[in-house]
Amino acid sequence: MQPAVQFSGIIPPVSTLFTPDGQFDAKSTGVLIDDLITAGVDGLFFLGSGGEFSQLSLDERKAVAQFVTSHVSKRVPVLIGTGGTNARETIALSQHAQECGADGIVVINPYYWKVSEENLVNYYQQVADSVTLPIILYNFPALTGQDLTPAIVKRLVASRKNIVGIKDTIDSIAHIRSMINTVKAEHPHFSVLCGYDDHLFNTLMMGGDGAISASVNFAPQLSVNLRRAFLEGDLGTAAKIHQKLVQVPQIYQLDTPFVNVIKEAMVLCGREMSTWTMPPAGVLDDTRRQQLKALLKRLELC
């Protein structure tokens, strides 16, 4: 019997919240977690790109992982981002996530160096062998400079049972389709989760499993309700919500990195919190904040 899909649905890449002086804000993070669970998400992903993992120290990443796993307390699955530029750190963070009680880890491919296919496969196999936790691969070639192709992913899934899914953050529905047709067709338990809001509907229509997309931080009702309508066979409602979701990625063009934009959107949508972000991300200026507000108003989100 084929194992079931372990991770599916709407799993937000939760923003890491800080106080105005740059300290991890456990209180605000706890409130955000509770609200997202109440909104009906199917899991929570911490310490991804939007969680500012690349700007945090090893100890800071461990502290966040410890808090969030404890606070969620098994209400929904918790995924912890453990990837980085070297295998030793990734393995250490992966083992720490397991010790904390996480339900899975999300591992981006090493960046800075482009890595040969053999070295890339060996890297992921070393991480997979270091834990018993299920692993979701994290493909974000626009930031890493290297694509996790369907052929490489298929090879990895065949080689290690605990490699169970992928967050495919790529602005190409053809890539997601190929991931479904190449990998999921042979391994039905493998989760294919898109990373961009505007690909959720197409991903579901093609047989994928959901999304790990940033807008869920400030507008969870869009993705949650779209998937709910899809599962109920109400494609008309799903398509109507999709018409809003396809407009959302415009906000990511307002600044780079766009983690500050997500936090400003959360505040504009009614959340009381600091929008402080770890450098090199900066403060969103008033002109772009007004542009963000106008877009959110146009989409009836604030």
Side-chain angles (χ1 to χ4, degrees):
M1 181 181 292
Q2 281 278 358
V5 169
Q6 290 181 259
F7 303 107
S8 63
I10 306 305
I11 304 172
V14 184
S15 293
T16 302
L17 304 185
F18 301 97
T19 61
D21 62 350
Q23 302 301 307
F24 174 57
D25 189 342
K27 181 179 179 181
S28 294
T29 298
V31 174
L32 174 60
I33 287 170
D34 296 342
D35 288 347
L36 289 170
I37 292 173
T38 299
V41 301
D42 301 286
L44 296 166
F45 168 38
F46 300 94
L47 296 168
S49 302
E52 301 177 60
F53 83 92
S54 61
Q55 294 102 284
L56 298 175
S57 69
L58 186 70
D59 288 342
E60 287 170 332
R61 291 175 71 174
K62 287 182 175 181
V64 172
Q66 182 74 55
F67 171 79
V68 299
T69 50
S70 174
H71 188 85
V72 174
S73 190
K74 298 298 180 183
R75 287 177 287 168
V76 296
V78 167
L79 302 172
I80 302 293
T82 61
T85 55
N86 70 84
R88 290 183 301 166
E89 185 171 287
T90 299
I91 287 170
L93 289 167
S94 299
Q95 291 174 339
H96 179 264
Q98 181 163 300
E99 292 165 6
C100 288
D103 298 284
I105 55 175
V106 182
V107 185
I108 199 161
N109 45 310
Y111 44 95
Y112 183 73
W113 282 110
K114 288 189 177 181
V115 182
S116 71
E117 181 172 330
E118 286 305 312
N119 286 335
L120 187 59
V121 168
N122 288 337
Y123 168 81
Y124 274 114
Q125 289 175 339
Q126 288 170 33
V127 176
D129 291 342
S130 74
V131 293
T132 58
L133 283 176
I135 297 171
I136 292 181
L137 308 173
Y138 186 178
N139 188 38
F140 202 165
L143 295 188
T144 65
Q146 187 168 9
D147 183 33
L148 294 180
T149 66
I152 291 173
V153 172
K154 182 179 179 181
R155 182 179 171 188
L156 284 168
V157 176
S159 74
R160 294 297 185 274
K161 291 183 178 179
N162 59 334
I163 297 178
V164 302
I166 189 166
K167 177 184 191 293
D168 209 9
T169 306
I170 186 167
D171 197 15
S172 166
I173 200 63
H175 194 281
I176 297 170
R177 180 179 64 239
S178 182
M179 198 68 69
I180 293 168
N181 292 343
T182 302
V183 185
K184 193 172 179 67
E186 188 164 324
H187 303 279
H189 70 284
F190 185 76
S191 299
V192 177
L193 302 156
C194 65
Y196 283 119
D197 312 271
D198 50 337
H199 289 320
L200 170 59
F201 188 47
N202 287 333
T203 297
L204 294 173
M205 289 290 288
M206 293 187 300
D209 299 284
I212 301 179
S213 51
S215 71
V216 186
N217 282 286
F218 59 86
Q221 70 277 13
L222 292 181
S223 296
V224 168
N225 289 340
L226 189 157
R227 180 172 180 265
R228 186 172 294 150
F230 177 84
L231 293 176
E232 293 171 353
D234 186 356
L235 296 185
T237 296
K240 187 175 181 180
I241 300 170
H242 174 66
Q243 289 178 324
K244 283 192 175 183
L245 267 179
V246 295
Q247 301 299 320
V248 168
Q250 296 176 61
I251 75 172
Y252 306 144
Q253 308 303 315
L254 291 174
D255 202 5
T256 304
F258 59 74
V259 292
N260 56 354
V261 181
I262 301 302
K263 291 181 179 181
E264 292 289 350
M266 293 163 72
V267 169
L268 288 169
C269 289
R271 183 166 299 283
E272 294 184 8
M273 50 169 267
S274 164
T275 59
W276 196 92
T277 55
M278 282 281 182
V283 176
L284 197 66
D285 63 42
D286 190 60
T287 298
R288 288 176 291 180
R289 189 180 295 108
Q290 291 305 316
Q291 292 172 342
L292 173 61
K293 185 176 182 178
L295 176 59
L296 293 174
K297 280 186 173 295
R298 190 161 69 248
L299 295 176
E300 301 176 321
L301 296 177
C302 73

